[in-house]
Amino acid sequence: MTNPTETKVLSTKLDKKERKLLWKLFWRSNYLMFCASYTKQQGITYSWVMEPFLENIYGKGTDAFYAAMARHQDFYNTNTGMNNFIAALTISMEEENKLATDNGTPFDETSISALKTALMGPLAGIGDSVYLSVIRVVATGVALGLSQQGNILGPILFLVVASIPNALIRWFGGVLGYKSGGAFISKAMKSGSFNAITKGCTVLGLIMTGAMTAQFVTFTTTFSQKIGGTEFNLQQILDSILPGLLPLTLTMLCFAYLRKHNRPVRALLTVFLIAIILTVLGITG
Amino acid sequence: MLMNALIVGFVVALAKFLDWWFSSQLSRPIFIVALLGILLGHPTEGIILGAQLELIFLGNVNLGGVMPSDFTLGSIFGGAFAMILGSKIETAIALAVPISLLGTLIYTVMKMVITSLVPRFEKHIKDKNIKAFNRLWSLQFWGFELVYFLLGFISIMVGTNAIKALIEAIPTWIQSSMTVAATMLPAIGIALLLKMLWEKSLIPFYFLGFALGAFFTYDKATDGRLTKGAVALTTAPTKMLSLIQIAFIGFIIAALVVMAELRHNNNNKQTATETVDSNDESEDFFND
């Protein structure tokens, strides 16, 4: 589809066939979060999303098709709204792979997985914060007052305000990913500008993840005791050392654990247990 | 009762669908409880209840694929019981919070079942059997929806009062520790995100984001009272920067990093080779 010799690669004009493909991806990609597992997260469903497109490229039931399916079952986890960009990019790379193998020129298939892995982290960090703290908060803010009065316009406005930016992100993410294409990306990869862009995305993703730690993780103590006539309030002391010290420590501990042992369920249960112990001891509550 | 049970079952299954499909945000209480109210024949109560429950669960979000509290399930059941029994908003809230915490456990069990099916999916692809792969995926999808439908249906059929008694039988210390746990659990979602983003040289930016989010607070006046001729203010520490504002600052910093990196690349290239045709290309990428 994308011609590597074309000079203007990043035009967003679509022909009929491309529009049809991206429209199909737009709907199919909505199911990415279903059937997520602890070991692969969205990996299995990612291959399910890719299935008809891979079938189109490699032909039904061919070995190349199954090889591609197996390739896309790897661990994958990103913000589902950002997935259209990555999936469209992957489709265009698979098309190039097919073209290259037909022409007898080698194409590095591992670069497809490498690209997915490079993009999913930064886009998850950025996407989660966009969806949870921009789209959701704005839509709620618009609707809440009306809903509190029992006005039917509240939920309707919520639906409209939440859905329009979401649909736009998904559609144009797909267009951008497909049109930029693997050839363009690998050219950019060689020149180093792709690395610069992913580095920028990682930086923004990390800043937003840090901010989400501060604003979504709540872990405060209610412990206070009278010692020698003066009130000893643990939380006030902790706040004077560093605001948000406890949430940050907790997140760092979870991170250290999950990095070493990939066991989210055990981490989940441990946090539950810690919460119960601390509450029974009267430290939190 | 049968009709009500069918409606609640349907709404729970629909909410679980909308939770993930299209990342639509439509499983938030403000929308789904309003819809439930309309279907149950209490539109105005439903809309108001939705708004009230939304305020309670405003800070609860699912991050990085971790569900700290199933506020969807909690608010649907809380809302349904209150509307069916014709009781006050307080009842809905009193039920919604513990049910949302029980919901987390149900979800965790479901996800474990799904995880146990992963090797089967891999085997079907290895055996080149795409039909079995598709069948299993559909089975999983509909099984997931069916479990939640039945959960809603049976809970209403078994009897609202029985559920209420069950919830009340949970000791308060368990309830309050579960509430504490629900606010702590987003740490795991964030840790999973962080694992994907981890790059040693860039990690200071995480702490920068944290600092922007945590350090800038002001005491917001929540209440004022006139006592002994002087105004006594009740204040609560409030975060000064919203995530939207932090995103703005973060974008500037990220742009600076990208520009520095591109300049660095160009310098390297110019010293390495005399051909400088790559210069325009990287600028093209950035301009787009």
Side-chain angles (χ1 to χ4, degrees):
Chain A
M1 297 277 144
T2 34
N3 191 346
T5 53
E6 234 177 294
T7 38
K8 228 184 137 194
V9 199
L10 255 181
S11 85
T12 46
K13 255 197 193 141
L14 298 168
D15 62 34
K16 216 175 164 192
K17 210 175 149 195
E18 291 171 328
R19 190 171 299 132
K20 217 176 139 193
L21 183 145
L22 286 173
W23 188 236
K24 193 172 182 179
L25 176 68
F26 180 81
W27 289 107
R28 206 171 165 87
S29 167
N30 288 339
Y31 291 87
L32 184 70
M33 196 59 208
F34 285 97
C35 311
S37 60
Y38 281 117
T39 43
K40 300 248 173 183
Q41 293 294 359
Q42 304 150 346
I44 297 292
T45 304
Y46 189 85
S47 70
W48 181 86
V49 169
M50 293 294 285
E51 189 192 318
F53 305 106
L54 295 175
E55 230 171 44
N56 242 331
I57 296 166
Y58 295 108
K60 245 182 183 155
T62 56
D63 285 353
F65 163 71
Y66 281 109
M69 280 296 278
R71 184 159 67 230
H72 288 301
Q73 286 190 330
D74 283 345
F75 175 88
Y76 183 73
N77 200 18
T78 195
N79 174 272
T80 54
M82 297 288 152
N83 180 56
N84 289 42
F85 175 73
I86 302 179
L89 193 58
T90 319
I91 292 170
S92 81
M93 281 182 97
E94 292 285 358
E95 279 170 356
E96 276 162 37
N97 181 24
K98 170 72 175 160
L99 228 96
T101 26
D102 284 353
N103 295 335
T105 45
F107 186 94
D108 187 11
E109 281 164 6
T110 53
S111 70
I112 302 176
S113 303
L115 194 78
K116 270 169 65 188
T117 326
L119 287 173
M120 66 179 182
L123 288 185
I126 296 169
D128 274 358
S129 62
V130 166
Y131 275 83
L132 294 176
S133 63
V134 182
I135 296 180
R136 179 183 72 99
V137 169
V138 170
T140 311
V142 168
L144 201 60
L146 287 164
S147 280
Q148 276 174 324
Q149 295 158 15
N151 192 331
I152 184 81
L153 272 176
I156 292 174
L157 266 177
F158 182 82
L159 169 79
V160 173
V161 177
S163 300
I164 289 175
N166 183 9
L168 291 177
I169 288 173
R170 282 164 182 271
W171 175 253
F172 287 106
V175 173
L176 192 69
Y178 191 74
K179 291 308 264 188
S180 56
F184 183 73
I185 294 291
S186 52
K187 210 168 125 201
M189 251 174 173
K190 268 188 208 113
S191 73
S193 42
F194 180 76
N195 275 345
I197 300 287
T198 42
K199 201 170 179 184
C201 289
T202 310
V203 166
L204 183 56
L206 279 168
I207 291 175
M208 294 319 292
T209 311
M212 285 194 283
T213 310
Q215 307 208 338
F216 286 144
V217 184
T218 315
F219 183 18
T220 48
T221 124
T222 48
F223 185 77
S224 95
Q225 196 100 45
K226 272 224 162 105
I227 299 171
T230 48
E231 176 109 344
F232 174 80
N233 186 324
L234 186 58
Q235 187 60 43
Q236 262 174 21
I237 292 168
L238 288 174
D239 279 344
S240 68
I241 298 169
L242 191 79
L245 180 65
L246 287 179
L248 184 65
T249 314
L250 178 70
T251 310
M252 288 290 106
L253 285 175
C254 287
F255 170 67
Y257 177 76
L258 288 170
R259 196 157 175 249
K260 237 185 187 161
H261 324 271
N262 190 17
R263 292 200 187 105
V265 184
R266 194 171 289 187
L268 216 93
L269 294 176
T270 312
V271 172
F272 256 113
L273 203 71
I274 292 171
I276 291 172
I277 294 170
L278 290 179
T279 309
V280 170
L281 292 177
I283 297 172
T284 58
Chain B
M1 201 44 107
L2 181 73
M3 200 56 213
N4 283 343
L6 282 174
I7 289 172
V8 174
F10 167 74
V11 172
V12 172
L14 178 73
K16 282 292 148 188
F17 179 74
L18 291 173
D19 213 356
W20 286 338
W21 186 79
F22 192 56
S23 341
S24 64
Q25 313 292 334
L26 298 184
S27 59
R28 300 290 316 183
I30 194 167
F31 183 82
I32 202 77
V33 176
L35 183 71
L36 177 77
I38 290 166
L39 291 177
L40 285 174
H42 301 276
T44 314
E45 289 97 320
I47 294 165
I48 295 170
L49 260 175
Q52 290 300 327
L53 289 165
E54 182 67 52
L55 279 174
I56 292 172
F57 290 117
L58 207 57
N60 290 55
V61 290
N62 302 336
L63 256 173
V66 174
M67 190 184 282
S69 110
D70 198 340
F71 49 83
T72 309
L73 204 66
S75 38
I76 292 174
F77 276 129
F81 289 143
M83 280 187 268
I84 291 168
L85 293 174
S87 44
K88 282 188 205 137
I89 286 177
E90 284 74 32
T91 324
I93 292 164
L95 288 172
V97 176
I99 293 175
S100 71
L101 299 167
L102 289 176
T104 307
L105 295 178
I106 297 171
Y107 174 72
T108 308
V109 171
M110 296 267 263
K111 201 166 172 180
M112 274 156 113
V113 173
I114 290 170
T115 306
S116 71
L117 289 172
V118 166
R120 283 197 181 209
F121 277 109
E122 288 177 310
K123 194 173 171 294
H124 286 322
I125 291 300
K126 217 180 251 164
D127 296 345
K128 303 195 194 306
N129 191 349
I130 193 72
K131 271 203 182 123
F133 174 87
N134 284 335
R135 211 181 305 128
L136 188 59
W137 196 89
S138 304
L139 194 76
Q140 204 177 50
F141 174 80
W142 288 109
F144 182 82
E145 288 291 314
L146 186 70
V147 167
Y148 277 107
F149 172 80
L150 288 177
L151 196 68
F153 181 76
I154 292 169
S155 305
I156 301 296
M157 281 310 269
V158 158
T160 312
N161 290 325
I163 300 292
K164 218 173 145 187
L166 181 77
I167 296 293
E168 273 158 14
I170 302 173
T172 33
W173 64 270
I174 289 194
Q175 282 199 29
S176 53
S177 40
M178 279 176 118
T179 315
V180 170
T183 60
M184 284 164 72
L185 283 174
I188 295 174
I190 284 171
L192 288 171
L193 276 180
L194 206 51
K195 220 175 105 181
M196 291 199 289
L197 287 165
W198 182 261
E199 204 173 305
K200 240 183 207 149
S201 63
L202 296 181
I203 221 64
F205 289 107
Y206 169 78
F207 293 100
L208 173 68
F210 176 80
L212 289 173
F215 295 172
F216 300 98
T217 55
Y218 66 100
D219 286 329
K220 188 182 182 182
T222 52
D223 197 17
R225 214 170 265 126
L226 203 65
T227 39
K228 290 174 199 157
V231 181
L233 285 175
T234 318
T235 57
T238 310
K239 300 271 189 312
M240 208 179 260
L241 292 173
S242 75
L243 278 167
I244 302 172
Q245 291 159 338
I246 296 170
F248 192 91
I249 299 168
F251 191 81
I252 295 167
I253 294 166
L256 288 173
V257 169
V258 172
M259 283 193 265
E261 191 78 358
L262 287 176
R263 203 176 307 123
H264 179 76
N265 283 345
N266 279 344
N267 287 346
N268 273 2
K269 234 166 259 146
Q270 273 166 353
T271 48
T273 47
E274 289 303 311
T275 47
V276 210
D277 63 334
S278 58
N279 206 347
D280 52 4
E281 168 207 319
S282 45
E283 271 171 9
D284 260 352
F285 197 107
F286 190 70
N287 288 335
D288 283 312

